[in-house]
Amino acid sequence: MSSDQQYPYGQHDQQQPAPYPYQDPYQQGQGHHQDAHQAPQTPYQDPAATQTWQGDTWDTQYQPVVQAAHQTGAPAETAYVPQHMASHPLPPEAPAAYEPQQQPPAPAVGPDGYSPPTTGGNARITDAQRARAEGRSPIIAPGMQPAGLTAALGLLLAAGAAVGPYALLVPLVLLQADTAAGWFRLNGMWPARQGIALAFAGGLAADAALLVTGKEHAPAAIIGALGVWVLLTLVLQLRSHAGADERMYGLMATVVSAALAILATGHLAAAGEAVTVGSVAVAVAVLARALPLPGAGSVAVSLLAAAGSGVAAGALTGIGAGGALLGLAAGVCALIGLRVASYDYPSRFVHMTAGVALPLTAAAPAVYLLGRALV
């Protein structure tokens, strides 16, 4: 009978027997392997060892037989210990040396009072959040090169509108493709080939519906295409196996991108004279906005340039003084599109897509509505 059965739990310290000569706790297990005619060997006795109970024990801190064998270097003289019951003492823990925590160096402050942008820190926050935390603005204007591309595309729209609807269709398709790709990249979703293709297909469907039904049914064609594509986007997102948050982000981005691509069809639905005036006004407005001028001064100069170009283009197309109002409205919409493309610390790809397309796309409703009123 083992010691755990002889003495109940909690009575080991109260009922300790008198000390007796040291015996190997595994002596009994060895007896089964010894020859009957061979005398048992005397186990190694450690005089400094503490008396322990005979039998199995839960003490994992001290194993006298194995420890003595390692200390004396005489494993052959010790009793046989089964491999599954042998244990080794843990090495002593060395005290860790105290090392003072090093503080990161303070960032250098530039002449404008703000520190330079950093790439370290919390990886979960966006560049715009880090810019706000460091006192920098997350708004970055596209610049002169995207403004030049916008102006070139606007002049193509103006020239196509002067020729006819099918000539206008070529630069309009480029505008819709650029709008669909730029909106997804502006929202941080790239690559998103299925969403971009779906939004672009919505714009093409609106163009086809408008060409089939005619300009007199333009609102029905545009709104109908928009409704069908919103429903199609909902069905596709419901079949997605992504998480709930990712599906919601994809749904909103696809719906807005398709809506913008379909909204650009307003250039095809508007009168040709209005498209010419509005496209020229947008081209002049974005070029003036890209000039190195103060913020409020740049906006004022841009709007004045849009109104002046509207007057000039209106005189050429027969709209007359109403071209100033149309040019001013198109210039305001173009600045709104530039502001959207400049938000949230955009990349160069955003500037070359959304920064090029959004000014012209945002001006499509104003061109269509004011064109119907003035022409």
Side-chain angles (χ1 to χ4, degrees):
M1 181 181 297
S2 64
S3 60
D4 293 341
Q5 296 177 352
Q6 292 178 357
Y7 299 100
Y9 177 77
Q11 298 181 3
H12 289 73
D13 297 339
Q14 298 178 2
Q15 301 179 3
Q16 292 185 357
Y20 54 86
Y22 173 77
Q23 297 180 0
D24 185 9
Y26 307 109
Q27 181 74 20
Q28 297 177 359
Q30 180 187 6
H32 297 286
H33 302 281
Q34 292 179 348
D35 191 1
H37 301 283
Q38 181 179 0
Q41 298 180 359
T42 302
Y44 175 80
Q45 296 183 0
D46 186 5
T50 307
Q51 294 289 339
T52 58
W53 292 105
Q54 182 178 1
D56 297 340
T57 178
W58 292 102
D59 187 6
T60 59
Q61 298 181 355
Y62 182 74
Q63 297 291 339
V65 175
V66 178
Q67 183 178 8
H70 281 282
Q71 291 179 356
T72 59
E77 299 179 1
T78 59
Y80 171 77
V81 180
Q83 187 174 5
H84 69 278
M85 300 180 63
S87 61
H88 301 277
L90 296 175
E93 297 182 358
Y98 174 75
E99 296 181 358
Q101 186 177 4
Q102 298 181 358
Q103 297 294 334
V109 179
D112 55 353
Y114 300 125
S115 60
T118 59
T119 57
N122 190 0
R124 296 175 181 269
I125 66 175
T126 62
D127 292 337
Q129 293 173 339
R130 184 177 294 114
R132 293 189 187 96
E134 295 178 357
R136 296 181 286 109
S137 175
I139 305 298
I140 298 179
M144 184 57 70
Q145 187 175 3
L149 294 176
T150 303
L153 187 57
L155 293 178
L156 288 177
L157 287 172
V163 174
Y166 289 97
L168 177 62
L169 188 62
V170 176
L172 179 60
V173 169
L174 295 177
L175 175 63
Q176 290 171 330
D178 206 17
T179 301
W183 185 259
F184 272 93
R185 189 62 185 93
L186 182 62
N187 287 270
M189 296 181 181
W190 187 265
R193 299 180 182 89
Q194 295 181 355
I196 294 173
L198 182 62
F200 178 57
L204 294 180
D207 297 340
L210 184 60
L211 291 175
V212 171
T213 59
K215 292 185 178 181
E216 60 273 9
H217 301 289
I222 294 176
I223 295 175
L226 180 59
V228 170
W229 248 252
V230 168
L231 181 61
L232 181 60
T233 304
L234 285 173
V235 172
L236 292 179
Q237 289 298 327
L238 288 176
R239 296 183 58 187
S240 176
H241 298 286
D245 293 339
E246 186 176 354
R247 282 190 294 176
M248 181 59 67
Y249 296 152
L251 173 64
M252 297 304 297
T254 307
V255 168
V256 176
S257 181
L260 291 174
I262 295 173
L263 192 66
T265 311
H267 289 292
L268 188 62
E273 297 83 356
V275 175
T276 300
V277 173
S279 300
V280 171
V282 170
V284 174
V286 295
L287 288 175
R289 188 67 176 91
L291 295 176
L293 298 174
S298 178
V299 172
V301 170
S302 179
L303 294 179
L304 290 175
S309 63
V311 171
L316 294 176
T317 56
I319 296 180
L325 179 60
L326 181 57
L328 181 62
V332 171
C333 295
L335 293 185
I336 293 174
L338 280 177
R339 178 72 175 187
V340 173
S342 306
Y343 185 71
D344 205 12
Y345 234 64
S347 64
R348 179 174 175 81
F349 190 87
V350 173
H351 285 165
M352 300 303 292
T353 53
V356 173
L358 286 183
L360 289 167
T361 301
V367 169
Y368 173 73
L369 295 176
L370 291 178
R372 293 191 60 181
L374 296 175
V375 178

